[in-house]
Amino acid sequence: MNIEALVVKIASRCNINCTYCYMYNHADQSYKSQPKFMSKETILNLKNKIKNHCVKHELKKFYVILHGGEPLLTDVNDLRYFLETLSSLDKESSINISFAVQTNGILISEEHCKLLNEYDVGVGISLDGNEKINNQYRVDKKGNGTFENVKKGIEVAKKHLNHPIGCLSVVNLEASPIESYETFKSLSFTGINFLLLDENYDTLSNDDIVISDLKNSNWLIELFDYWYKLDDKERLRIRKFEDIISYILGSERGTESAGKGENKIAVVETNGDIEPLDVLKICGEEFTKHKFNLATNELDDVFHSDLIKTYYNSKKYLAKKCLACPVNEVCGGGYLPHRYNSKNGFNNPSIYCKDLLKVITHIQNVIIDDIPNEIIEESGVKKVTYEEALEMIENNIPNIESTGYMDLLESFRKNELITN
């Protein structure tokens, strides 16, 4: 077991207040006890622990994603110190650090762009669609919409950054998927990663989102059908669709929420705490806290945590319904935070299970008509309708035996956590 990437919270606060934010507006409010910014001492500890980990596991490339909160709240000089300190690992130990930053875009300045260019930092900007759609949930501390300020930041980035800008967008069912796509295109994004709203069985309410009527899958399918018919030169990259296609065709790689393989990512908080996926904060107060810190621990120490082990193996440690599903190697059981229930921990399919199944079977059936027979034979992919897949799951479930890891998944029940 090893880590190949870290999401580093160089700032624990944000300059806006998105109403759906998993960091500030869900169950876990532990951010309030975190330092607002990462200290130079913690940055040096981070550098040394990355070095030790890469040397031990013979890794020559390591990924660092600057995150928050809002990472650009960090003073530009402190941001330079961070990038310079970690970049020095290349000269000292032949470890190449690849940087990216996820930002809401409002604070981007020409000075930021020069610095990000200097260290070849990839940039993603969060936006949910046009002004009306974005301003429903992505608001400032006074409740005002943020679209125009983000748009100004995008213009600065377009003018001064040397590389393309990606977009991270949460699906809004009130938006037209095609209008949203065209909005992103008009803003000169080169790629989009669409995310489903971060909810689980405990946080879900019928007022927030309906998961039984397949609205999310219908939204994504409408977008896919539009996107897939576009000429390659006109088409923006949509990571969710590209990933699903590659997994259908047998790719062995995966992301945190789909495909195969392990999740070799951890999070470092501003105080140096090493934690699993930060979206798991939606599962409860201090849910991700395990008392591992850069000051006293190596990165490998986090694998003593059952939660880290569960996250690391989340695409293998699946509920019975997932094991019975014909597309589980494509969806990977869905995003781990979306599987949580205080009654039985993570031993559940995703709350978006039916949506994922419908989207995947739709995409699979569309692309089969367009790929050569030899690839179809090699990958073993076959057409299966959504309804057929549901029937296969029901028929297969009785034949699925319980496995040892299911006890681990259920160990995160609320009563178990209180007892322990």
Side-chain angles (χ1 to χ4, degrees):
M1 298 174 72
N2 64 77
I3 294 168
E4 295 179 351
L6 287 174
V7 174
V8 180
K9 304 300 186 91
I10 59 173
S12 66
R13 303 298 194 270
C14 193
N15 56 327
I16 64 174
N17 186 34
C18 303
T19 58
Y20 54 58
C21 182
Y22 63 84
M23 279 291 296
Y24 306 112
N25 292 317
H26 261 284
D28 191 333
Q29 295 293 297
S30 60
Y31 76 91
K32 294 176 181 177
S33 64
Q34 298 279 9
K36 291 182 178 180
F37 301 101
M38 183 171 282
S39 69
K40 290 185 176 180
E41 180 183 3
T42 300
I43 293 170
L44 286 172
N45 287 335
L46 175 63
K47 171 193 169 182
N48 292 330
K49 298 309 164 71
I50 289 175
K51 175 183 176 181
N52 294 345
H53 187 78
C54 288
V55 169
K56 178 178 178 179
H57 295 282
E58 299 180 346
L59 302 175
K60 293 300 181 183
K61 192 171 186 64
F62 197 86
Y63 297 86
V64 172
I65 301 97
L66 286 73
H67 212 281
E70 170 50 50
L72 296 189
L73 282 171
T74 305
D75 181 83
V76 173
N77 291 326
D78 292 335
L79 183 57
R80 173 176 289 281
Y81 178 83
F82 179 93
L83 295 170
E84 187 175 303
T85 299
L86 268 63
S87 293
S88 67
L89 285 170
D90 196 3
K91 290 182 180 179
E92 294 177 10
S93 306
S94 299
I95 300 167
N96 176 253
I97 305 293
S98 181
F99 294 105
V101 60
Q102 187 62 42
T103 171
N104 58 44
I106 293 173
L107 299 175
I108 293 177
S109 65
E110 182 177 352
E111 187 177 10
H112 281 120
C113 292
K114 289 179 179 178
L115 179 60
L116 298 175
N117 287 335
E118 183 179 346
Y119 289 92
D120 195 26
V121 181
V123 177
I125 293 177
S126 300
L127 194 72
D128 284 355
N130 62 30
E131 183 170 9
K132 178 182 177 181
I133 294 301
N134 183 80
N135 291 350
Q136 279 186 315
Y137 303 115
R138 299 189 65 82
V139 296
D140 63 20
K141 299 298 177 67
K142 295 181 179 179
N144 299 316
T146 58
F147 182 88
E148 283 301 321
N149 288 330
V150 176
K151 188 176 178 181
K152 290 176 185 177
I154 292 170
E155 292 302 318
V156 172
K158 283 163 55 178
K159 184 176 181 180
H160 297 290
L161 281 178
N162 292 340
H163 39 69
I165 311 164
C167 178
L168 197 63
S169 180
V170 175
V171 170
N172 185 326
L173 297 176
E174 296 180 37
S176 159
I178 295 171
E179 286 182 15
S180 293
Y181 175 88
E182 291 298 336
T183 296
F184 298 136
K185 188 174 180 180
S186 71
L187 292 169
S188 300
F189 288 117
T190 56
I192 318 160
N193 191 11
F194 285 101
L195 306 177
L196 296 172
L197 199 61
D198 285 320
E199 302 282 356
N200 58 40
Y201 292 93
D202 285 358
T203 65
L204 193 65
S205 81
N206 291 330
D207 293 332
D208 295 330
I209 186 171
V210 178
I211 61 171
S212 60
D213 56 8
L214 299 172
K215 285 186 177 181
N216 286 284
S217 54
N218 292 336
W219 196 97
L220 290 168
I221 286 170
E222 182 181 349
L223 177 60
F224 173 81
D225 288 344
Y226 176 79
W227 172 82
Y228 191 71
K229 293 174 183 176
L230 294 173
D231 184 271
D232 285 347
K233 294 180 181 179
E234 299 178 357
R235 188 162 56 195
L236 301 184
R237 301 193 66 178
I238 297 182
R239 182 178 179 183
K240 183 176 289 293
F241 296 154
E242 291 183 351
D243 285 345
I244 288 174
I245 291 171
S246 69
Y247 302 152
I248 287 170
L249 296 178
S251 172
E252 294 295 319
R253 66 185 181 88
T255 64
E256 289 182 302
S257 58
K260 300 180 182 179
E262 297 84 16
N263 292 322
K264 299 185 177 186
I265 306 173
V267 174
V268 175
E269 295 284 357
T270 51
N271 66 349
D273 280 351
I274 314 165
E275 301 183 2
L277 175 70
D278 52 353
V279 183
L280 288 165
K281 292 177 184 294
I282 71 173
C283 300
E285 180 69 20
E286 297 194 346
F287 195 86
T288 61
K289 301 299 181 187
H290 293 284
K291 310 306 179 186
F292 299 107
N293 190 280
L294 294 172
T296 53
N297 294 98
E298 299 292 335
L299 294 183
D300 280 84
D301 290 344
V302 298
F303 293 118
H304 295 295
S305 158
D306 284 345
L307 185 57
I308 287 276
K309 290 177 185 175
T310 301
Y311 168 64
Y312 188 89
N313 294 295
S314 68
K315 288 168 285 187
K316 300 175 184 176
Y317 291 180
L318 303 177
K320 284 187 177 183
K321 184 177 180 180
C322 299
L323 294 174
C325 178
V327 301
N328 69 52
E329 291 187 346
V330 179
C331 87
Y335 207 24
L336 185 65
H338 299 167
R339 304 181 205 172
Y340 185 73
N341 187 328
S342 57
K343 295 178 181 178
N344 59 344
F346 294 106
N347 196 13
N348 309 286
S350 165
I351 59 167
Y352 297 109
C353 173
K354 290 184 177 180
D355 284 297
L356 295 171
L357 182 63
K358 186 173 182 180
V359 170
I360 292 167
T361 52
H362 176 83
I363 292 176
Q364 180 166 305
N365 294 341
V366 169
I367 67 168
I368 282 177
D369 291 332
D370 288 341
I371 57 179
N373 288 333
E374 57 268 24
I375 295 179
I376 293 176
E377 292 174 3
E378 182 180 343
S379 65
V381 63
K382 297 178 181 179
K383 282 191 174 183
V384 178
T385 67
Y386 170 68
E387 292 75 17
E388 288 171 339
L390 286 175
E391 185 177 352
M392 292 169 70
I393 292 170
E394 291 304 311
N395 291 336
N396 290 338
I397 285 179
N399 301 319
I400 304 296
E401 297 182 359
S402 296
T403 65
Y405 67 71
M406 290 183 181
D407 290 336
L408 174 62
L409 297 181
E410 295 201 1
S411 70
F412 297 97
R413 292 190 297 263
K414 190 171 184 180
N415 289 340
E416 292 275 350
L417 293 171
I418 292 173
T419 302
N420 293 334

